[in-house]
Amino acid sequence: MNFGSPIRLPFAPAVLLALLAGVASGCASEAPPAGDLTITTDTVGGIVRVTNTGTAPAWQLTPVVSIGPRSLSETGAPEEFGRVNSATLGPEEAVFVADGLNDEVRVFGLDGVHRRTFGRNGEGPGEFRSLYSLAWMGDRLLTLDPSLGRIGEFSADGEWLGQQPIEGSYSGSPAGIRLMPVGPDEFYRLGLLRDATGVTSVLVGHDRRGETGDTLSQLQPPPGPAGFIICQYGGMITSFPIPFGRGLAQHPGPGAVMYSAMTDAYRIAVTGRNGDTLRVIERPLPSEPISDEEWTAGNRDFEELVAERPDAECDPRRPSRPEGKSFIQGMFIDPNGKLWVEVIRTAGNRWEFFDPEGRLLGTVPAPPRKERAAPAFSADHLITIRQDSLDLDHVDVWRIEPPGG
């Protein structure tokens, strides 16, 4: 299955109601401000609302190393990647990089020096058919290979230690089909439930020993304007994102909770195993307009297809321009349980991060990153994957430092 195909998703109106509507105020407590940041907490009907108003403390991202080729002529070097799908920081300050085109893991130090490579194309122990994602859990490197239907387990030296079976035979973007760490020994991965009516997408909880029994539903956006256009032509189906269109961002969290937000509002619902809303995190920010240049550039691929294929049937036929930009590009969880939100701003995207209670801790500029590859977090590092002007992949490592650090 390719994840451009339709998937039946459960709809949870109670969750989305909390996302789209405010929660009535009740007894409130106000945290001591840091600068002009004010954090207010109130509880109504068992739902905690945390509102973060003002300027977040400015943390720093300090470049540590950038690993990648310097030119098209640099061929055969370990730094020349075929296609980087994932990267993570492991023991002894080693950077582990998943090259999905070459079906191997390459290991570098924080000085950029290549240490070793392991893995190859195949179906046996230590081999890959579709190397999508990496994650460190304790003393084991986990590798996600949906084509072989397994999560592989390796030592830091590349020794094969075993595997965990999963549903297989699907493909798609590594940004969506990946291991999702939410703690030092807890992660989620995409799971598929098949029945006579179709396929349901869920997130399945794991630790180093296997499945934990925690399964979280991926939610469906409520009725309303879609955030993308689907075009059919000549037996092909292609989707185009509407620039700054309304979408649904989600990420599992520690303890079998789900963080969910409509991208056109900076309001995040935290829901439990049974779908009940436990907490709502709000961050009031002013809306920003979409410039004509941004709208034209964002629709360029769609307009080129329509010009080349006038027979294409598209739904909707034309994109509707949103009133303003979306607020949220994506959400992630670091090993300490902090929520990281990539915020869309005209002056440049930034990351804002919150403690598990929903209190805003700080912000850093968001480095450029490839859409089809998710960032990775360690306790004090951020790893991003980007493409240069020659479409060559690079792995960038950043140290996360507090103000004045």
Side-chain angles (χ1 to χ4, degrees):
M1 170 175 289
N2 186 299
F3 272 71
S5 303
I7 301 176
R8 179 166 52 84
L9 301 175
F11 176 61
V15 175
L16 296 172
L17 179 62
L19 287 172
L20 299 173
V23 181
S25 58
C27 293
S29 63
E30 187 170 299
D36 68 343
L37 175 64
T38 300
I39 302 174
T40 303
T41 302
D42 57 49
T43 303
V44 175
I47 299 175
V48 178
R49 182 180 67 181
V50 184
T51 304
N52 300 269
T53 306
T55 304
W59 287 47
Q60 302 175 39
L61 281 185
T62 302
V64 177
V65 67
S66 182
I67 306 168
R70 289 175 288 275
S71 69
L72 283 172
S73 61
E74 185 178 351
T75 59
E79 296 82 4
E80 183 199 22
F81 302 114
R83 182 181 63 250
V84 178
N85 286 342
S86 177
T88 187
L89 190 64
E92 299 181 357
E93 296 189 323
V95 182
F96 291 74
V97 181
D99 191 322
L101 188 63
N102 293 305
D103 291 315
E104 60 189 22
V105 178
R106 301 182 189 178
V107 187
F108 301 84
L110 288 182
D111 54 4
V113 175
H114 176 250
R115 295 183 179 179
R116 58 190 169 275
T117 294
F118 58 90
R120 63 181 182 181
N121 183 265
E123 300 181 0
E127 298 177 337
F128 307 106
R129 281 293 186 204
S130 59
L131 178 55
Y132 264 66
S133 183
L134 305 176
W136 269 97
M137 289 289 133
D139 60 353
R140 298 197 171 203
L141 176 71
L142 306 183
T143 62
L144 177 64
D145 191 330
S147 291
L148 293 181
R150 71 186 183 192
I151 296 173
E153 302 178 1
F154 292 84
S155 71
D157 294 328
E159 177 188 2
W160 175 258
L161 301 177
Q163 66 184 40
Q164 300 179 25
I166 63 171
E167 305 90 346
S169 302
Y170 56 87
S171 63
S173 170
I177 302 176
R178 59 185 177 88
L179 303 174
M180 304 176 189
V182 298
D185 188 23
E186 186 181 4
F187 69 96
Y188 286 81
R189 53 90 182 172
L190 182 71
L192 303 176
L193 300 179
R194 295 180 171 90
D195 59 27
T197 62
V199 180
T200 300
S201 174
V202 296
L203 297 178
V204 180
H206 281 251
D207 58 21
R208 280 173 290 177
R209 293 162 293 281
E211 295 186 14
T212 60
D214 292 327
T215 300
L216 300 175
S217 296
Q218 288 192 293
L219 307 180
Q220 177 180 329
F228 53 88
I229 302 173
I230 298 203
C231 295
Q232 301 184 48
Y233 56 94
M236 300 286 292
I237 299 178
T238 304
S239 64
F240 299 92
I242 297 175
F244 306 104
R246 184 172 184 255
L248 177 62
Q250 300 178 86
H251 201 285
V257 301
M258 179 76 90
Y259 292 85
S260 306
M262 299 305 300
T263 59
D264 59 351
Y266 202 158
R267 184 179 298 117
I268 302 165
V270 186
T271 54
R273 289 180 177 88
N274 58 3
D276 291 343
T277 303
L278 308 175
R279 187 180 304 272
V280 175
I281 304 168
E282 295 185 290
R283 175 76 169 120
L285 289 178
S287 178
E288 295 185 333
I290 304 170
S291 70
D292 293 340
E293 293 78 8
E294 290 172 321
W295 182 249
T296 299
N299 286 301
R300 184 168 292 119
D301 290 344
F302 168 72
E303 296 294 349
E304 289 177 355
L305 173 72
V306 172
E308 294 173 2
R309 297 298 303 255
D311 61 323
E313 297 181 2
C314 299
D315 183 22
R317 294 183 61 84
R318 307 294 303 179
S320 297
R321 184 166 174 167
E323 294 181 0
K325 292 183 178 179
S326 299
F327 290 95
I328 296 176
Q329 183 73 28
M331 299 189 299
F332 300 88
I333 301 291
D334 72 15
N336 294 326
K338 294 193 294 291
L339 168 68
W340 288 74
V341 181
E342 185 174 359
V343 185
I344 300 171
R345 296 277 90 183
T346 299
N349 287 10
R350 66 175 185 253
W351 288 101
E352 293 190 337
F353 53 99
F354 303 77
D355 70 12
E357 302 302 314
R359 295 183 291 258
L360 180 59
L361 299 175
T363 182
V364 295
R369 64 182 179 93
K370 189 168 70 168
E371 290 185 3
R372 289 177 59 85
F377 296 87
S378 69
D380 51 9
H381 287 86
L382 166 67
I383 299 179
T384 54
I385 300 164
R386 63 176 169 87
Q387 285 187 314
D388 61 21
S389 59
L390 301 174
D391 291 334
L392 303 175
D393 282 353
H394 298 253
V395 176
D396 298 326
V397 182
W398 312 81
R399 184 176 293 107
I400 306 167
E401 299 180 326

